Each structure stands twice: as structure tokens, then as C-alpha cells.
Amino acid sequence: MKLALIILLFLSIFSGFETKVSELLKVTLPHGGGLIGRYLSSHSGRGIRAFMGVPYAEPPLGPLRFSNPVPKKSWEGFLKVTGNSDNCLQYDYLFKGKESIGSEDCLYLNVYVPQVPKSQDPLPVMVFFHGGGFQSGSGERASYGPDYLLDEDIILVTGNYRLGVFGFLSTNTLDSPGNYGLKDQSLILKWVQGNIAAFGGDRSSVTIFGQSAGGASVTYHTVSPLSRGLFHRGIAHSGTHFGLWAIQDATVAARNAEKLAKVLKCPTKKSNPEEMLECLRSKSAQEINSHFYDFFLWDIYPVIYWSPVVEPPNEGAFLDQKPSENSKGHDIPLMLGVTSNEGAMVSSSVLYSSKLINDVKTKWSSILPPTLSYSFYSKDVQNEVTDMITDFYVQNHEKDMNDPIFFQKFTDVMSDGYFTSAADRFLQFRQENDQNALNSNTYLYLFNHKGDSSFAEQLQQDVNADHGVCHADDLIALFPVLKEHFFSSVPTEEDDYVRKAMVSLWVNFATYGNPTPTEEDVELPRWNPVGSFPYNYLRIGRYNQTENVSRISMEKGLYDERLLFWRKIISLITESAVDID
């Protein structure tokens, strides 16, 4: 008891002491105000100056809800930015989170800078946009910290952007055109252009990269008038704006806004969206967010209910035409890729529930459209697409999720429907609109490393499960996800090899626009541009360490038959009219 009292007394005495702040942890911004950061260290022990929770926009509260972001006003003196800000308001629905987390006041970013760079030149900047289906996630250090990337001479910027209804509600009118989360991202890029030199960064060498919805965001920025000229290279992990899930017809978005207004007892008249928005802005954020789970058709599908749209013409539009109609901005170097079992994100989560397992077996035709985001078309189109998918992947096989053969078939359906087809459509678009850029500046990868831990285990809640290289598993090689979220796992020698290789490839691309390192401490093949179909791609990792194949190698022909099949599906869907009645 005496010891406890002594400790409490000691803490109370020293809690009031002012600690000395190193000048190295102070940064003065161009507007005159400054930041005080903290000291961290990288995986190899290099010092890092970390500035976490830097405000880049005014809090989107009151009249700024469902509005374009407003840059943060200048301030006097120094702000202490040494910890994570609140996440943007959300549910962690991919992991079945039933509690709302976060805040509307969430537009903050993080900047990580090497303490002692090897070079005296301004450093290349890498800006990461997190995934989470535009509905969840954050740029927090626990998930996207600088531990690995800051072993190299780059500056890493991560940040939050508005999610779900707060980031993507659209009335399909100028009252609330939508895309606020993407506009937040664009404002982050403007902040980088205006401020990164103060941290020693090179504003003329900015690479954006992101995963899943973050990957789709990267490709959106290449065609957005708001982001033009704000970055110079892009890397899209497991997502492009051509995913059926990544864009929503504006009429569907307007109907969704009316549905929300109805459950909140707000006016829903299409003739007066201003009155509807006034009512929605009067509601508490928690009340609005509490209806997040009300609109799904099966489990958590369509997985993205609030999503990007083509806006009605307006001066501040992020997206003013369909990506397929806009080839501007595609002349920058780009990397994109997928993991070898992307769809395990869906299939492994189904195994968590006996009800979902039974639904797959008994309600196949009704669950596939919302799961793969084609439920907004006529029943005839839905049935035709479902029959085509069934004939190609499943045939007459029993739809038993506990059967390893069907489980893999289901996984492949989800992999291709969500991610590989979206990558293929993006590559086709590049080829059709800018042949030279495709052949010289586009690089494709397949992440095939089965590490000691996988996100699939977490989705199924079975640490002994092995469902392949799941969606987001490639992030484990770039960020301290293994350390922070898989804390009972120890990286293997193979894990360390893949981590070093990926960091080298990604940083080299961010520095030179070419991922093949000129000097490296790991032996890597030359990564050739993707070329025309069938594609060249870099296979990163071997699924089974006993496989008699190299750890990393150039290959040709990525899921050719499956990609050609999905071209037929996409053609059928995109040529059909949306039916929301």
C-alpha cells in the first residue's frame, strides 16, 4: 500500500513538469504556426521524427457536414502533435464490429520523417490512403506506422478521410453532390504540396499509394480535376475505380440518401433536397451512424453502400465524368497488383457463421448479386450474370462452404468479382488510351507470400485456418500490422525477406518511377512493364516455402481465362441500365 502511494505521489509531482522539447522535433509551417512532434525509431533502429494528429481541415461539423472540406485555418504558436487523432465515425463492419467508433472531428494526418537522412537532397514523399471499403479504417500508427518504410530515405504521410454516409452521401444535386471522403484525400495532397518542404520533403516527388478502397482512391485521383498536378506516381493495391463496388450510379446514391432521411424522419421529397439536408445536419452523428447496418441486403453486402459517384457539374467536383470516359492524368508511372487469394476476405468470414454457410447453399441466386454489387440491375440481368458465374466456376458442385474444393471456387469468384477484374479493366483502359504509358510505366504484381499470419484467420476467428494469401496480406510486408495486430506471431526468415524486398521495390518506385532497385541488399529480378495481354507481372513470394520456385520472379499470364470470362460479365453489366424500382 505504501509503495502504491509513493508511486502516485511521484507521478503527481512529475506530471506537472515541463519537459524540454528538442529543436529537431519542432517544425514551423509556411503560415507561421508550428508543430511539436515526438521521437520514434524504425525497424532497424533509425530515428524518426513523428508528427501525429496534424489538422489539415476544419472539423466537418454543423453546416460543414455533407460539404466539401475547408482547409485548416492558420494558427499561432506550436501545436503538440504526438498521438493519434480520433478515427472518422464508423463501424468496423468487416470484423463484425457492432459498436460505433470515432468522431466527426477526424480530419487529421500524420507525417513521419527520418531523423538523419542519408541524403542532403529533399526526400521523396509517399502518401498512403487506407482501405476499408470507404466505410471503415484510419491512418493510425498501429496499422500504418513508419517502422519499415522509414528504414529508407522517404517521408511517409498517412491520414483520415470521411467514411460511410459522412464521406459519400449524395443527393445527385448541387445541394450535396458527394465524394467528400475523396475530396478530403485531395486536400491532404494539397496540404503536402504546401507544407512538406518544411519537413525536408520534395513536393515534386509525391507518390500516392493505397489498398482496397485506398487503391481505388489512387486511380480516382489520376482522373480527378481536383488532384491534377498534386502527385507524380501511384501504387494501387487490390483495388481500382473500375471495381463494381468502387462506384455507384448517382440515381442509386440519391435513393439511398432518401432511404436514410426516411428512417431518420426527415423530409424525403426529391423536389426539396435542401430541406432534407437541413434536417440530416440537425441530427446527431451517432443517430445517423446508428442506422449503418439497416441497409444491407445480405450480411454486410453490398459491402459498400455509400460510395463514390459521378457528380452533377459543379466547380468543386472531384469526379465530373465516368472514369472510363476520362483518360487525362494516366501518363504517370503506376503500379498495381492483387494477392493470390483476395476473395478469402469474403469466404473466410462466411465460415464464421452457420447461417451464412447455409445461405450460400440454399440462397445462392439471391446472395450473389448484392455480394458482388450487381443487385441494382434488372432481375433478368442479375439472373443471367449469376448463371454465367455458376456455370464457369461452380458447375454442378455442391455449394458446401466446408468442402475445400467449393470453398476455393467461392474464393475465386470473390477474388475475380472484386479485384482481379478491376485490375484488368484498368490495364485495358491504360492500353486503349495511352499505349506508350502502358508499355513503359505500368507495373503489375501478384503477392503470393503466405506469411506466419493472415487477415483470413482474423475474419474467420480461427488462428489455425489456412485460406491462402488473403486480401490485405501484402500490407503486412509494408507496415507493422504483424507486430500490432498479430502480436502472437513471430516473423519467419521468409517474412523478413519479402518485407525487405517489397520495401526496396516500393521505395525505389517512389524515388525513380521504376521499381527495380539499382542498389539493394536483396537479390531481385528486373521488374518489367506489364505490356499487353497476357500480362507480365512480378510474383512476390511463394505460397509454400517448400515449393521449388524462386522467392520472387517475373511471370507472364495472370489468371488469363478468368480475366477473359469477367470481361464478358463486365460488358453485360455496364451495357445494362440501372433498375432501382
mmCIF file of all heavy atoms in Angstrom, residues 25-61:
data_model
loop_
_atom_site.group_PDB
_atom_site.id
_atom_site.type_symbol
_atom_site.label_atom_id
_atom_site.label_comp_id
_atom_site.label_asym_id
_atom_site.label_seq_id
_atom_site.Cartn_x
_atom_site.Cartn_y
_atom_site.Cartn_z
ATOM 1 N N LEU A 25 12.415 18.351 -33.058
ATOM 2 C CA LEU A 25 11.012 17.932 -33.068
ATOM 3 C C LEU A 25 10.063 19.101 -33.280
ATOM 4 O O LEU A 25 8.855 18.951 -33.152
ATOM 5 C CB LEU A 25 10.675 17.209 -31.758
ATOM 6 C CG LEU A 25 11.411 15.883 -31.545
ATOM 7 C CD1 LEU A 25 11.039 15.272 -30.201
ATOM 8 C CD2 LEU A 25 11.107 14.908 -32.678
ATOM 9 N N LYS A 26 10.608 20.256 -33.619
ATOM 10 C CA LYS A 26 9.787 21.416 -33.936
ATOM 11 C C LYS A 26 9.853 21.690 -35.435
ATOM 12 O O LYS A 26 10.920 21.642 -36.041
ATOM 13 C CB LYS A 26 10.271 22.657 -33.179
ATOM 14 C CG LYS A 26 10.048 22.615 -31.678
ATOM 15 C CD LYS A 26 10.504 23.927 -31.052
ATOM 16 C CE LYS A 26 10.244 23.963 -29.550
ATOM 17 N NZ LYS A 26 10.690 25.251 -28.952
ATOM 18 N N VAL A 27 8.713 21.961 -36.005
ATOM 19 C CA VAL A 27 8.644 22.339 -37.413
ATOM 20 C C VAL A 27 7.746 23.565 -37.532
ATOM 21 O O VAL A 27 6.619 23.570 -37.018
ATOM 22 C CB VAL A 27 8.075 21.202 -38.289
ATOM 23 C CG1 VAL A 27 7.776 21.714 -39.697
ATOM 24 C CG2 VAL A 27 9.055 20.045 -38.353
ATOM 25 N N THR A 28 8.245 24.607 -38.189
ATOM 26 C CA THR A 28 7.448 25.801 -38.448
ATOM 27 C C THR A 28 6.876 25.703 -39.858
ATOM 28 O O THR A 28 7.614 25.496 -40.826
ATOM 29 C CB THR A 28 8.295 27.076 -38.314
ATOM 30 O OG1 THR A 28 8.810 27.152 -36.970
ATOM 31 C CG2 THR A 28 7.452 28.310 -38.589
ATOM 32 N N LEU A 29 5.562 25.846 -39.964
ATOM 33 C CA LEU A 29 4.881 25.731 -41.249
ATOM 34 C C LEU A 29 4.865 27.076 -41.971
ATOM 35 O O LEU A 29 5.056 28.125 -41.344
ATOM 36 C CB LEU A 29 3.464 25.212 -41.032
ATOM 37 C CG LEU A 29 3.354 23.838 -40.361
ATOM 38 C CD1 LEU A 29 1.894 23.458 -40.162
ATOM 39 C CD2 LEU A 29 4.073 22.764 -41.172
ATOM 40 N N PRO A 30 4.623 27.071 -43.274
ATOM 41 C CA PRO A 30 4.669 28.322 -44.035
ATOM 42 C C PRO A 30 3.732 29.406 -43.523
ATOM 43 O O PRO A 30 4.025 30.600 -43.672
ATOM 44 C CB PRO A 30 4.275 27.871 -45.451
ATOM 45 C CG PRO A 30 4.744 26.462 -45.536
ATOM 46 C CD PRO A 30 4.512 25.890 -44.172
ATOM 47 N N HIS A 31 2.607 29.041 -42.895
ATOM 48 C CA HIS A 31 1.684 30.081 -42.421
ATOM 49 C C HIS A 31 2.146 30.729 -41.127
ATOM 50 O O HIS A 31 1.526 31.700 -40.656
ATOM 51 C CB HIS A 31 0.274 29.517 -42.258
ATOM 52 C CG HIS A 31 0.106 28.493 -41.169
ATOM 53 N ND1 HIS A 31 0.180 28.810 -39.837
ATOM 54 C CD2 HIS A 31 -0.134 27.161 -41.219
ATOM 55 C CE1 HIS A 31 -0.024 27.719 -39.107
ATOM 56 N NE2 HIS A 31 -0.205 26.697 -39.923
ATOM 57 N N GLY A 32 3.221 30.211 -40.527
ATOM 58 C CA GLY A 32 3.783 30.829 -39.329
ATOM 59 C C GLY A 32 3.618 30.017 -38.073
ATOM 60 O O GLY A 32 4.438 30.104 -37.145
ATOM 61 N N GLY A 33 2.541 29.249 -37.980
ATOM 62 C CA GLY A 33 2.370 28.360 -36.835
ATOM 63 C C GLY A 33 3.275 27.141 -36.954
ATOM 64 O O GLY A 33 3.872 26.885 -38.007
ATOM 65 N N GLY A 34 3.365 26.387 -35.870
ATOM 66 C CA GLY A 34 4.286 25.256 -35.885
ATOM 67 C C GLY A 34 3.733 24.002 -35.249
ATOM 68 O O GLY A 34 2.616 23.982 -34.721
ATOM 69 N N LEU A 35 4.523 22.948 -35.307
ATOM 70 C CA LEU A 35 4.176 21.648 -34.764
ATOM 71 C C LEU A 35 5.301 21.148 -33.873
ATOM 72 O O LEU A 35 6.480 21.385 -34.151
ATOM 73 C CB LEU A 35 3.953 20.633 -35.895
ATOM 74 C CG LEU A 35 2.895 20.963 -36.949
ATOM 75 C CD1 LEU A 35 2.990 19.992 -38.110
ATOM 76 C CD2 LEU A 35 1.498 20.937 -36.340
ATOM 77 N N ILE A 36 4.917 20.448 -32.823
ATOM 78 C CA ILE A 36 5.883 19.752 -31.976
ATOM 79 C C ILE A 36 5.562 18.258 -32.053
ATOM 80 O O ILE A 36 4.462 17.834 -31.692
ATOM 81 C CB ILE A 36 5.817 20.227 -30.510
ATOM 82 C CG1 ILE A 36 6.179 21.705 -30.415
ATOM 83 C CG2 ILE A 36 6.736 19.379 -29.635
ATOM 84 C CD1 ILE A 36 6.011 22.277 -29.017
ATOM 85 N N GLY A 37 6.491 17.487 -32.544
ATOM 86 C CA GLY A 37 6.285 16.061 -32.707
ATOM 87 C C GLY A 37 6.946 15.239 -31.619
ATOM 88 O O GLY A 37 7.260 15.741 -30.540
ATOM 89 N N ARG A 38 7.159 13.966 -31.909
ATOM 90 C CA ARG A 38 7.799 13.065 -30.954
ATOM 91 C C ARG A 38 8.815 12.205 -31.682
ATOM 92 O O ARG A 38 8.869 12.171 -32.915
ATOM 93 C CB ARG A 38 6.766 12.178 -30.261
ATOM 94 C CG ARG A 38 6.008 11.252 -31.189
ATOM 95 C CD ARG A 38 5.110 10.308 -30.434
ATOM 96 N NE ARG A 38 5.879 9.374 -29.612
ATOM 97 C CZ ARG A 38 5.348 8.390 -28.920
ATOM 98 N NH1 ARG A 38 4.018 8.214 -28.926
ATOM 99 N NH2 ARG A 38 6.090 7.583 -28.209
ATOM 100 N N TYR A 39 9.605 11.505 -30.903
ATOM 101 C CA TYR A 39 10.677 10.679 -31.455
ATOM 102 C C TYR A 39 10.248 9.215 -31.456
ATOM 103 O O TYR A 39 9.756 8.690 -30.458
ATOM 104 C CB TYR A 39 11.944 10.846 -30.617
ATOM 105 C CG TYR A 39 13.111 10.021 -31.081
ATOM 106 C CD1 TYR A 39 13.901 10.443 -32.150
ATOM 107 C CD2 TYR A 39 13.436 8.817 -30.451
ATOM 108 C CE1 TYR A 39 14.987 9.687 -32.579
ATOM 109 C CE2 TYR A 39 14.521 8.057 -30.872
ATOM 110 C CZ TYR A 39 15.287 8.493 -31.938
ATOM 111 O OH TYR A 39 16.353 7.745 -32.372
ATOM 112 N N LEU A 40 10.424 8.554 -32.608
ATOM 113 C CA LEU A 40 10.208 7.116 -32.737
ATOM 114 C C LEU A 40 11.446 6.498 -33.357
ATOM 115 O O LEU A 40 12.405 7.197 -33.701
ATOM 116 C CB LEU A 40 8.993 6.840 -33.630
ATOM 117 C CG LEU A 40 7.637 7.419 -33.214
ATOM 118 C CD1 LEU A 40 6.598 7.150 -34.306
ATOM 119 C CD2 LEU A 40 7.181 6.839 -31.887
ATOM 120 N N SER A 41 11.436 5.203 -33.527
ATOM 121 C CA SER A 41 12.530 4.542 -34.232
ATOM 122 C C SER A 41 11.976 3.519 -35.198
ATOM 123 O O SER A 41 10.910 2.927 -34.966
ATOM 124 C CB SER A 41 13.499 3.866 -33.252
ATOM 125 O OG SER A 41 12.838 2.917 -32.448
ATOM 126 N N SER A 42 12.681 3.298 -36.289
ATOM 127 C CA SER A 42 12.251 2.368 -37.324
ATOM 128 C C SER A 42 12.602 0.937 -36.930
ATOM 129 O O SER A 42 13.208 0.685 -35.880
ATOM 130 C CB SER A 42 12.921 2.713 -38.656
ATOM 131 O OG SER A 42 14.296 2.342 -38.624
ATOM 132 N N HIS A 43 12.255 -0.007 -37.795
ATOM 133 C CA HIS A 43 12.513 -1.417 -37.537
ATOM 134 C C HIS A 43 14.000 -1.684 -37.308
ATOM 135 O O HIS A 43 14.376 -2.490 -36.447
ATOM 136 C CB HIS A 43 12.005 -2.237 -38.720
ATOM 137 C CG HIS A 43 12.145 -3.721 -38.537
ATOM 138 N ND1 HIS A 43 11.341 -4.438 -37.679
ATOM 139 C CD2 HIS A 43 12.994 -4.621 -39.103
ATOM 140 C CE1 HIS A 43 11.689 -5.712 -37.717
ATOM 141 N NE2 HIS A 43 12.687 -5.857 -38.564
ATOM 142 N N SER A 44 14.854 -0.990 -38.048
ATOM 143 C CA SER A 44 16.297 -1.207 -37.922
ATOM 144 C C SER A 44 16.943 -0.279 -36.907
ATOM 145 O O SER A 44 18.152 -0.317 -36.701
ATOM 146 C CB SER A 44 16.979 -1.029 -39.284
ATOM 147 O OG SER A 44 16.914 0.331 -39.696
ATOM 148 N N GLY A 45 16.145 0.582 -36.280
ATOM 149 C CA GLY A 45 16.676 1.451 -35.243
ATOM 150 C C GLY A 45 16.984 2.866 -35.693
ATOM 151 O O GLY A 45 17.541 3.649 -34.908
ATOM 152 N N ARG A 46 16.618 3.247 -36.912
ATOM 153 C CA ARG A 46 16.837 4.619 -37.365
ATOM 154 C C ARG A 46 15.861 5.553 -36.646
ATOM 155 O O ARG A 46 14.695 5.217 -36.419
ATOM 156 C CB ARG A 46 16.614 4.751 -38.874
ATOM 157 C CG ARG A 46 17.630 4.033 -39.727
ATOM 158 C CD ARG A 46 17.387 4.356 -41.199
ATOM 159 N NE ARG A 46 17.820 5.693 -41.544
ATOM 160 C CZ ARG A 46 17.499 6.325 -42.671
ATOM 161 N NH1 ARG A 46 16.678 5.738 -43.538
ATOM 162 N NH2 ARG A 46 17.956 7.542 -42.932
ATOM 163 N N GLY A 47 16.316 6.731 -36.325
ATOM 164 C CA GLY A 47 15.457 7.697 -35.663
ATOM 165 C C GLY A 47 14.394 8.254 -36.600
ATOM 166 O O GLY A 47 14.640 8.440 -37.798
ATOM 167 N N ILE A 48 13.208 8.519 -36.042
ATOM 168 C CA ILE A 48 12.089 9.059 -36.811
ATOM 169 C C ILE A 48 11.508 10.256 -36.061
ATOM 170 O O ILE A 48 11.252 10.181 -34.854
ATOM 171 C CB ILE A 48 10.978 8.011 -37.015
ATOM 172 C CG1 ILE A 48 11.494 6.829 -37.828
ATOM 173 C CG2 ILE A 48 9.756 8.635 -37.694
ATOM 174 C CD1 ILE A 48 10.501 5.682 -37.916
ATOM 175 N N ARG A 49 11.287 11.340 -36.766
ATOM 176 C CA ARG A 49 10.543 12.476 -36.239
ATOM 177 C C ARG A 49 9.087 12.274 -36.652
ATOM 178 O O ARG A 49 8.770 12.247 -37.843
ATOM 179 C CB ARG A 49 11.094 13.775 -36.790
ATOM 180 C CG ARG A 49 12.552 14.025 -36.433
ATOM 181 C CD ARG A 49 13.202 14.993 -37.399
ATOM 182 N NE ARG A 49 12.512 16.272 -37.401
ATOM 183 C CZ ARG A 49 12.436 17.068 -38.473
ATOM 184 N NH1 ARG A 49 12.949 16.694 -39.633
ATOM 185 N NH2 ARG A 49 11.814 18.233 -38.383
ATOM 186 N N ALA A 50 8.215 12.115 -35.677
ATOM 187 C CA ALA A 50 6.819 11.770 -35.953
ATOM 188 C C ALA A 50 5.900 12.906 -35.522
ATOM 189 O O ALA A 50 5.963 13.377 -34.387
ATOM 190 C CB ALA A 50 6.444 10.490 -35.220
ATOM 191 N N PHE A 51 5.023 13.316 -36.441
ATOM 192 C CA PHE A 51 4.046 14.375 -36.180
ATOM 193 C C PHE A 51 2.677 13.769 -36.442
ATOM 194 O O PHE A 51 2.259 13.608 -37.599
ATOM 195 C CB PHE A 51 4.324 15.577 -37.079
ATOM 196 C CG PHE A 51 5.724 16.114 -36.935
ATOM 197 C CD1 PHE A 51 6.769 15.572 -37.676
ATOM 198 C CD2 PHE A 51 5.994 17.136 -36.041
ATOM 199 C CE1 PHE A 51 8.069 16.046 -37.536
ATOM 200 C CE2 PHE A 51 7.290 17.621 -35.891
ATOM 201 C CZ PHE A 51 8.336 17.073 -36.641
ATOM 202 N N MET A 52 1.959 13.409 -35.381
ATOM 203 C CA MET A 52 0.737 12.621 -35.498
ATOM 204 C C MET A 52 -0.464 13.395 -34.967
ATOM 205 O O MET A 52 -0.447 13.879 -33.840
ATOM 206 C CB MET A 52 0.898 11.303 -34.734
ATOM 207 C CG MET A 52 2.021 10.418 -35.281
ATOM 208 S SD MET A 52 2.223 8.877 -34.357
ATOM 209 C CE MET A 52 2.853 9.509 -32.797
ATOM 210 N N GLY A 53 -1.486 13.496 -35.803
ATOM 211 C CA GLY A 53 -2.668 14.268 -35.439
ATOM 212 C C GLY A 53 -2.574 15.707 -35.882
ATOM 213 O O GLY A 53 -3.035 16.626 -35.186
ATOM 214 N N VAL A 54 -2.015 15.921 -37.074
ATOM 215 C CA VAL A 54 -1.884 17.274 -37.632
ATOM 216 C C VAL A 54 -3.200 17.651 -38.319
ATOM 217 O O VAL A 54 -3.644 16.955 -39.235
ATOM 218 C CB VAL A 54 -0.735 17.340 -38.656
ATOM 219 C CG1 VAL A 54 -0.621 18.747 -39.233
ATOM 220 C CG2 VAL A 54 0.580 16.892 -38.017
ATOM 221 N N PRO A 55 -3.852 18.738 -37.919
ATOM 222 C CA PRO A 55 -5.119 19.109 -38.563
ATOM 223 C C PRO A 55 -4.866 19.663 -39.969
ATOM 224 O O PRO A 55 -4.044 20.565 -40.150
ATOM 225 C CB PRO A 55 -5.678 20.193 -37.637
ATOM 226 C CG PRO A 55 -4.476 20.794 -36.990
ATOM 227 C CD PRO A 55 -3.479 19.686 -36.839
ATOM 228 N N TYR A 56 -5.574 19.120 -40.958
ATOM 229 C CA TYR A 56 -5.436 19.649 -42.315
ATOM 230 C C TYR A 56 -6.725 20.294 -42.818
ATOM 231 O O TYR A 56 -6.739 20.913 -43.877
ATOM 232 C CB TYR A 56 -4.980 18.550 -43.284
ATOM 233 C CG TYR A 56 -6.007 17.470 -43.592
ATOM 234 C CD1 TYR A 56 -6.928 17.630 -44.623
ATOM 235 C CD2 TYR A 56 -6.031 16.271 -42.866
ATOM 236 C CE1 TYR A 56 -7.863 16.637 -44.916
ATOM 237 C CE2 TYR A 56 -6.953 15.274 -43.157
ATOM 238 C CZ TYR A 56 -7.865 15.459 -44.182
ATOM 239 O OH TYR A 56 -8.789 14.479 -44.468
ATOM 240 N N ALA A 57 -7.816 20.149 -42.069
ATOM 241 C CA ALA A 57 -9.103 20.731 -42.463
ATOM 242 C C ALA A 57 -9.857 21.151 -41.212
ATOM 243 O O ALA A 57 -9.608 20.650 -40.108
ATOM 244 C CB ALA A 57 -9.921 19.724 -43.262
ATOM 245 N N GLU A 58 -10.777 22.069 -41.392
ATOM 246 C CA GLU A 58 -11.663 22.421 -40.288
ATOM 247 C C GLU A 58 -12.570 21.229 -39.982
ATOM 248 O O GLU A 58 -12.934 20.464 -40.893
ATOM 249 C CB GLU A 58 -12.522 23.627 -40.669
ATOM 250 C CG GLU A 58 -11.729 24.923 -40.821
ATOM 251 C CD GLU A 58 -11.069 25.363 -39.529
ATOM 252 O OE1 GLU A 58 -11.722 25.286 -38.475
ATOM 253 O OE2 GLU A 58 -9.890 25.776 -39.576
ATOM 254 N N PRO A 59 -12.930 21.010 -38.728
ATOM 255 C CA PRO A 59 -13.821 19.887 -38.397
ATOM 256 C C PRO A 59 -15.109 19.962 -39.222
ATOM 257 O O PRO A 59 -15.751 21.023 -39.264
ATOM 258 C CB PRO A 59 -14.095 20.084 -36.906
ATOM 259 C CG PRO A 59 -12.912 20.842 -36.403
ATOM 260 C CD PRO A 59 -12.518 21.751 -37.524
ATOM 261 N N PRO A 60 -15.506 18.879 -39.898
ATOM 262 C CA PRO A 60 -16.695 18.912 -40.771
ATOM 263 C C PRO A 60 -17.989 18.768 -39.977
ATOM 264 O O PRO A 60 -18.741 17.804 -40.123
ATOM 265 C CB PRO A 60 -16.455 17.719 -41.697
ATOM 266 C CG PRO A 60 -15.687 16.751 -40.859
ATOM 267 C CD PRO A 60 -14.798 17.586 -39.958
ATOM 268 N N LEU A 61 -18.249 19.750 -39.141
ATOM 269 C CA LEU A 61 -19.399 19.722 -38.236
ATOM 270 C C LEU A 61 -20.443 20.748 -38.679
ATOM 271 O O LEU A 61 -20.141 21.693 -39.403
ATOM 272 C CB LEU A 61 -18.949 20.026 -36.804
ATOM 273 C CG LEU A 61 -17.782 19.193 -36.261
ATOM 274 C CD1 LEU A 61 -17.369 19.711 -34.890
ATOM 275 C CD2 LEU A 61 -18.160 17.728 -36.183
#
